[in-house]
Amino acid sequence: MSILSLYNKARVRAGRAVKDDGGWMLTEGVGAILFYLIMFGTIAGVVYVLFSSSKLSQMQQSITSISMQIQGLYAGSSSYSGLDTSLAVKSGLIPKNLIRGAAAYTPWGGSITLSPGSDVSTYRISLAQISQSDCTKLATYQLDTWEAVQVNGTNISAAQRVTDAARSCGPNNTITYTGR
């Protein structure tokens, strides 16, 4: 026997009528719905955070892969002449998850552009429409392995890497890596 039924029997014996507890069901139902809505909102927030940091990780891995693929394709060549995005897509230099049609795009939807550098013994990887929240981390990613890194046209120095990158990043960013 439950405690509530024992309590009700004791109240009846004492000469008082037992009131119906019908309103509790509505209160409990509303409470349960609120609880589930709060939990759903929390889970949605966690999923959003996980997916936005996965974009950054995906792009960091892709930059490393693209750089290694370019160097492998042009091994033994004295210049990166002829390198462009179209050649990179056709040659499989860019990971398949970044290719849509005949073009390459970042996880944020901006274009990926490959080209020879101003010195033909270098190459450039440009990433457009990088979000502000990921810009500094992406601009300083393996900074020591690049000849130069620019954010929105501003060079990032090795000495002031985080400060330069953070000051150069805005709402919509283009990051250009120059490699050899």
Side-chain angles (χ1 to χ4, degrees), residues 3 10 16 29 45 78-79 94 99 122 125 127 129 133 144 152 174:
I3 294 175
R16 288 183 245 150
S78 61
S79 75
I94 299 175
I99 297 173
T122 62
I125 303 171
L127 312 173
Q129 296 180 1
S133 60
D144 297 335
N152 300 322
T174 299

Side-chain angles (χ1 to χ4, degrees), residues 82-148:
L83 176 65
D84 64 9
T85 308
S86 175
L87 173 83
V89 169
K90 289 177 185 175
S91 301
L93 303 181
I94 299 175
K96 292 187 187 299
N97 60 341
L98 299 177
I99 297 173
R100 282 185 248 139
Y105 296 93
T106 68
W108 299 274
S111 63
I112 298 174
T113 308
L114 294 137
S115 63
S118 55
D119 170 7
V120 291
S121 67
T122 62
Y123 61 91
R124 288 187 180 148
I125 303 171
S126 293
L127 312 173
Q129 296 180 1
I130 304 300
S131 70
Q132 186 167 4
S133 60
D134 294 326
C135 177
T136 303
K137 295 173 195 156
L138 199 55
T140 57
Y141 176 69
Q142 294 185 344
L143 189 61
D144 297 335
T145 62
W146 301 101
E147 292 290 315

